[in-house]
């Protein structure tokens, strides 16, 4: 499960337009029609850093020229089963069947040519997320709750291993698992990746075995109905919430996402979400809505005992966000094509 996926081989000229994965969704023996792919393309939009979505006329007329590759997901009606066909407000990219077909192709390409598959959001974003998260975890390990995480601070390899080896990490919607490989290089040792697509897990395991990362565990698991029975100190999401938001089953599934993540993240742990569908302010607001919902539920008579036991604290609070992504001006607003935000589990 993933969001926008950009190939590292893309040229600057190719980035002038939105690049969708090349694999086709198979329904029975029939490939997705051109109309279906048009629906997928139309599910993307451009958003400012302050949360406003540009209207369709502006999006189609000015997006490619003004913002180059700064296209983002359109906020959709969330996530559902694959029984319903996607409409104009959603996308094939929210369907598990799409990703199953995509990873069948990517696994075949790996076996035939050794290709690792596409890198979600591109390698530059992945590198930024890794270095920023490493700095954040190091600060928290030292007892600091930073107001701002800028450029990574120089640390010796021994210091990195000391601070990072104690962090248990879960990557939800891991795809080809390359994010976990890069985290392992930084000094994290307790690494688990999950994806609801069996093909993604097969690819991630194959790549990890080839590249010498046998310490990384990969499991088939749906975050909305997770079977995991442990908690993690660091949970990474790079595009999974975006994909959930493109599936047409309604807001209840997004609430399921936050319920699951809140159970998987240990108290004092960190959730790092990277999104091209949501701005930083939108993610913060969504978490605040979830917090308020949980507080309201905890005040119901049936939950009073749990409230007395655990206290009436919001599950998450905003911690920080990446400030170093390239920005652009559009319609008088400043924005970027990607947002990475960290939340602290209470």
């Amino acid at each position: 499960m993933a969001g926008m996926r950009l190939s590292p081989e893309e040229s600057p000229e190719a980035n002038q337009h939105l690049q969708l994965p090349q694999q086709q969704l198979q329904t029975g023996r029939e490939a997705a029609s051109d109309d279906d792919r048009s629906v997928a393309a139309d599910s993307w939009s451009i958003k400012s850093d302050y949360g406003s979505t540009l209207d369709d006329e502006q999006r189609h007329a000015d997006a490619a020229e003004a913002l180059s590759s700064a296209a983002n997901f359109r906020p959709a009606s969330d996530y559902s089963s694959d029984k319903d066909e996607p409409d104009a407000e959603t996308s094939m990219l929210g369907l598990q069947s799409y990703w199953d077909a995509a990873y069948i192709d990517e696994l075949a390409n790996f076996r035939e040519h050794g290709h690792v598959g596409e890198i979600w959001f591109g390698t530059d974003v992945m590198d930024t997320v890794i270095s920023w998260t490493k700095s954040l975890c190091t600060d928290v390990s030292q007892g600091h709750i930073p107001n701002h995480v800028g450029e990574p601070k120089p640390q010796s390899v021994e210091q990195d291993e000391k601070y990072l080896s104690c962090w248990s990490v879960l990557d939800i919607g891991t795809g080809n698992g390359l994010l976990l490989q890069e985290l392992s290089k930084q000094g994290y040792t307790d690494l688990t990746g999950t994806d609801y697509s069996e093909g993604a897990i097969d690819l991630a395991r194959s790549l990890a075995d080839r590249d010498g990362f046998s310490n990384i565990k990969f499991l088939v698991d749906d975050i909305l109905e997770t079977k995991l029975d442990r908690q993690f100190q660091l949970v990474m999401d790079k595009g999974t919430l975006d994909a959930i938001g493109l599936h047409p089953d309604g807001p209840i599934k997004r609430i399921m996402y936050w319920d699951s993540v809140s159970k998987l993240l240990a108290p004092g742990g960190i959730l790092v979400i990277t999104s091209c569908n949501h701005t930083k302010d939108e993610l913060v607001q969504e978490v605040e809505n979830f917090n308020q919902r949980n507080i309201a539920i905890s005040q119901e008579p049936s939950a009073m005992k749990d409230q007395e036991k655990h206290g009436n604290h919001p599950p998450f609070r905003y911690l920080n966000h990446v400030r170093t992504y390239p920005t652009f001006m559009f319609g008088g607003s400043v924005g970027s094509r990607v947002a990475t935000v960290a939340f602290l589990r209470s």
Side-chain angles (χ1 to χ4, degrees):
M1 179 191 294
M4 176 180 173
R5 308 198 308 165
L6 299 177
S7 172
E9 291 82 17
E10 287 177 351
S11 66
E13 290 76 17
N15 278 335
Q16 294 298 316
H17 302 283
L18 175 65
Q19 301 296 309
L20 292 176
Q22 296 178 358
Q23 295 85 356
Q24 297 179 347
L25 171 65
Q26 299 291 331
T27 305
R29 292 182 176 271
E30 297 179 358
S33 68
D34 291 339
D35 288 341
D36 287 335
R37 282 188 288 275
S38 177
V39 168
D42 285 344
S43 70
W44 306 78
S45 70
I46 298 163
K47 307 178 78 175
S48 79
D49 192 40
Y50 302 100
S52 60
T53 303
L54 303 177
D55 61 49
D56 288 343
E57 183 177 352
Q58 288 177 307
R59 172 162 58 91
H60 291 294
D62 301 326
E65 178 180 357
L67 303 178
S68 182
S69 61
N72 293 325
F73 277 115
R74 180 181 198 158
S77 58
D78 302 304
Y79 184 93
S80 76
S81 66
D82 289 352
K83 295 180 181 179
D84 299 323
E85 291 295 323
D87 58 27
E89 295 299 314
T90 58
S91 168
M92 293 186 304
L93 298 173
L95 297 172
Q96 180 176 348
S97 53
Y98 177 88
W99 295 107
D100 286 342
Y103 282 113
I104 287 174
D105 287 345
E106 291 201 352
L107 189 59
N109 285 333
F110 168 73
R111 289 170 176 167
E112 294 176 13
H113 308 291
H115 295 168
V116 301
E118 295 175 280
I119 307 297
W120 307 330
F121 304 115
T123 54
D124 289 345
V125 169
M126 184 172 70
D127 291 344
T128 297
V129 170
I130 289 167
S131 61
W132 183 84
T133 301
K134 174 184 175 181
S135 181
L136 182 65
C137 291
T138 300
D139 283 344
V140 172
S141 295
Q142 294 174 322
H144 305 147
I145 301 297
N147 293 320
H148 170 62
V149 176
E151 293 298 320
K153 304 178 183 65
Q155 299 278 356
S156 68
V157 174
E158 292 78 10
Q159 286 177 314
D160 288 343
E161 292 178 351
K162 172 186 174 182
Y163 292 125
L164 301 180
S165 62
C166 64
W167 285 79
S168 55
V169 182
L170 173 65
D171 181 26
I172 54 178
T174 193
N176 57 18
L178 294 185
L179 178 68
L180 290 175
Q181 288 196 24
E182 295 302 318
L183 288 172
S184 180
K185 294 176 184 178
Q186 299 301 317
Y188 297 91
T189 57
D190 185 353
L191 299 161
T192 301
T194 63
D195 202 293
Y196 67 0
S197 174
E198 186 173 351
I201 295 302
D202 287 344
L203 177 61
R205 287 171 176 165
S206 298
L207 288 169
D209 288 344
R210 184 197 69 177
D211 298 336
F213 293 94
S214 58
N215 60 306
I216 304 176
K217 297 180 287 293
F218 291 104
L219 305 170
V220 178
D221 187 73
D222 185 347
I223 182 59
L224 301 183
E225 299 176 351
T226 183
K227 302 299 189 298
L228 299 180
D229 58 359
R230 63 169 292 192
Q231 291 185 316
F232 300 83
Q233 292 168 296
L234 175 64
V235 174
M236 305 290 293
D237 175 343
K238 187 161 68 71
T240 297
L241 183 60
D242 287 345
I244 288 174
L246 289 173
H247 207 308
D249 201 28
I252 186 63
K253 297 302 182 181
R254 192 182 297 273
I255 295 175
M256 290 172 62
Y257 168 90
W258 289 105
D259 280 335
S260 291
V261 171
S262 67
K263 294 172 183 175
L264 291 170
L265 190 60
I270 298 173
L271 167 66
V272 175
I273 296 182
T274 299
S275 170
C276 65
N277 182 30
H278 303 86
T279 66
K280 169 255 183 181
D281 289 341
E282 288 174 329
L283 288 170
V284 171
Q285 184 59 57
E286 184 165 358
V287 166
E288 178 61 24
N289 293 342
F290 176 74
N291 286 342
Q292 293 302 319
R293 169 183 168 271
N294 269 44
I295 290 174
I297 291 175
S298 69
Q299 293 174 346
E300 296 177 357
S302 60
M304 291 302 293
K305 290 184 178 180
D306 286 337
Q307 179 182 348
E308 294 173 359
K309 180 179 180 181
H310 301 289
N312 191 18
H313 303 294
F316 296 102
R317 72 176 179 90
Y318 164 75
L319 185 59
N320 217 311
H321 72 280
V322 170
R323 294 170 168 84
T324 58
Y325 290 132
T327 60
F328 57 85
M329 287 289 298
F330 193 90
S333 295
V334 179
S336 62
R337 71 183 183 92
V338 178
T340 296
V341 187
F343 298 95
L344 187 69
R345 182 71 169 92
S346 300

